[in-house]
Amino acid sequence: MLQRAEPQEFERVLSSMCTAPHPVARKAAERFLATNPGDPGTYETVADLEREAVDALGDLTGLADPAGYIASGGTEANIQALRIARNRADTDDPNVVAPVHAHFSFTKAADVLDLELRTAPADEYRANTAAMAELIDDDTVCVVGVAGSTEYGFVDPVPAIADLAHGADALCHVDAAWGGFYLPFTDHDWHFGHAAVDTMTIDPHKVGQAAVPAGGLLAREETLLDELAVETPYLESTSQLTLTGTRSGAGVASAVAAMEELWPAGYREQYERSMDNAEWLADQLDSRGHDVVGPELPLVAADLSVPMTDELRERGWRVSKTGAGEMRVVCMPHVTRSMLRSFVADLDWY
């Protein structure tokens, strides 16, 4: 089977928030595949690279002296952020308040960490801060904002959410797993420099074009990460704060390589190209009579019928649906105008 199998090509993938890694990221991943940043005392070179990766992510997110690490992805980073919030709080009945469009990893995190997850309705696809405020009480340990929602690509009012969190003596966590590499080139207020954000998820293996897995957890202060540390007496390093423990250095090295190659000019060019593609697609769908949501970031949702979406998949297009049933297209770095023209042509055929 393995000899005959070929990896998925990206030429018709319109649903994924991952993309083909940049060539320099692929090479770096192969070089550091067998290293383990989970044991920095032994694997010192990749540990140094991880610090470089975190510093680079700090440049993207307005944080001059960032703490954090390269995680397996957004799910791990979101779990760890809520774990920090839970561990620092003085309550036996902790809850987390998030908008209804928060990523499903928060449901996993609440289950794993024995937290109550309270979700507030959205207002025009963004967090409704008044509704969130009604859910906050003395047992709230974290208030979550989303900077680039998974379904629609919209950005929550992060400064207002941070104010809600700190008014309740809770932490503010921002999930920018997908949007974080697009948002530096927009006018949105979303990062550590715009608001009193405590922790953030931002994934180099999405728009950052690192190899999978390479997520990112950032914290405003190193002391927040102390809430995660456990002793590791049989390793050369004496403690560990990551969730996965042993992990390949491939993600760390590829994240550094991609960001060194592309930040900032390459990422800016990619944002502009992806946004142009998303706006072009939105115009094409609108002109054909479809109700279109967005794009605020390079993601388009439209009210194509479920049978039509299924027929497009039968022709090889990888498209997905929102919870409300709209077709969803993510304009990732591998998505070209030529791809979208072919997609619209197939759409017209139906």
Side-chain angles (χ1 to χ4, degrees):
M1 172 63 183
L2 180 60
Q3 291 180 344
R4 299 191 305 272
E6 293 293 336
Q8 176 81 37
E9 297 290 343
F10 283 92
E11 61 184 10
R12 290 203 163 201
V13 175
L14 298 176
S15 58
S16 178
M17 285 186 161
C18 290
T19 192
H22 192 282
V24 300
R26 185 186 297 270
K27 289 180 181 178
E30 291 174 352
R31 287 178 60 201
F32 283 85
L33 187 63
T35 62
N36 175 18
D39 184 7
T42 300
Y43 298 93
E44 294 176 338
T45 302
V46 78
D48 290 340
L49 284 176
E50 186 163 38
R51 283 187 283 272
E52 288 187 29
V54 170
D55 286 342
L57 289 174
D59 287 342
L60 269 79
T61 60
L63 190 57
D65 188 21
Y69 73 94
I70 299 301
S72 60
T75 294
E76 179 184 345
N78 286 335
I79 290 172
Q80 290 284 77
L82 297 197
R83 186 173 160 223
I84 291 170
R86 183 201 64 178
N87 289 357
R88 69 177 285 278
D90 184 19
T91 175
D92 295 325
D93 192 22
N95 69 73
V96 173
V97 174
V100 70
H101 50 263
H103 189 260
F104 56 77
S105 58
F106 288 97
T107 301
K108 296 182 184 180
D111 184 36
V112 169
L113 299 171
D114 195 23
L115 295 167
E116 179 190 358
L117 178 61
R118 300 176 177 178
T119 57
D123 182 13
E124 295 296 321
Y125 306 101
R126 296 180 184 85
N128 182 326
T129 53
M132 293 179 75
E134 293 180 0
L135 299 178
I136 295 172
D137 60 21
D138 291 342
D139 293 315
T140 300
V141 300
C142 187
V143 184
V144 175
V146 183
S149 60
T150 306
E151 287 189 301
Y152 297 104
F154 278 66
V155 180
D156 288 338
V158 169
I161 290 172
D163 289 345
L164 287 178
H166 294 150
D169 195 27
L171 294 186
C172 173
H173 175 65
V174 171
D175 183 1
W178 173 70
F181 278 81
Y182 282 140
L183 283 163
F185 312 107
T186 73
D187 293 330
H188 290 287
D189 292 335
W190 64 283
H191 65 43
F192 293 98
H194 299 137
V197 175
D198 296 294
T199 56
M200 179 176 290
T201 294
I202 177 171
D203 287 355
H205 70 204
K206 292 186 171 71
V207 178
Q209 299 180 55
V212 174
L217 173 67
L218 296 180
R220 182 178 288 276
E221 299 175 357
E222 188 77 36
T223 54
L224 289 172
L225 298 183
D226 291 343
E227 301 290 348
L228 303 175
V230 297
E231 293 182 2
T232 55
Y234 64 91
L235 300 182
E236 289 194 53
S237 49
T238 58
S239 69
Q240 187 179 88
L241 57 85
T242 63
L243 186 63
T244 52
T246 299
R247 53 202 166 96
S248 174
V252 171
S254 70
V256 173
M259 288 187 285
E260 284 184 347
E261 181 74 15
L262 296 170
W263 173 256
Y267 288 133
R268 178 184 293 277
E269 179 184 348
Q270 181 57 63
Y271 164 73
E272 292 173 350
R273 183 165 58 250
S274 294
M275 199 67 204
D276 284 346
N277 283 336
E279 289 173 344
W280 180 87
L281 178 61
D283 288 343
Q284 295 296 313
L285 295 173
D286 179 71
S287 70
R288 287 159 172 79
H290 299 289
D291 290 333
V292 177
V293 181
E296 180 161 291
L297 292 178
L299 192 160
V300 179
D303 67 337
L304 275 72
S305 67
V306 172
M308 186 177 291
T309 303
D310 292 341
E311 288 164 351
L312 289 166
R313 287 181 59 86
E314 288 176 4
R315 292 184 69 85
W317 293 106
R318 315 320 296 174
V319 291
S320 61
K321 297 183 287 292
T322 68
E326 301 118 328
M327 183 193 68
R328 170 181 165 277
V329 172
V330 189
C331 291
M332 293 295 288
H334 66 269
V335 175
T336 64
R337 184 66 59 85
S338 177
M339 281 176 62
L340 294 176
R341 290 187 189 279
S342 296
F343 176 72
V344 171
D346 277 355
L347 182 65
D348 287 342
W349 187 84
Y350 288 113

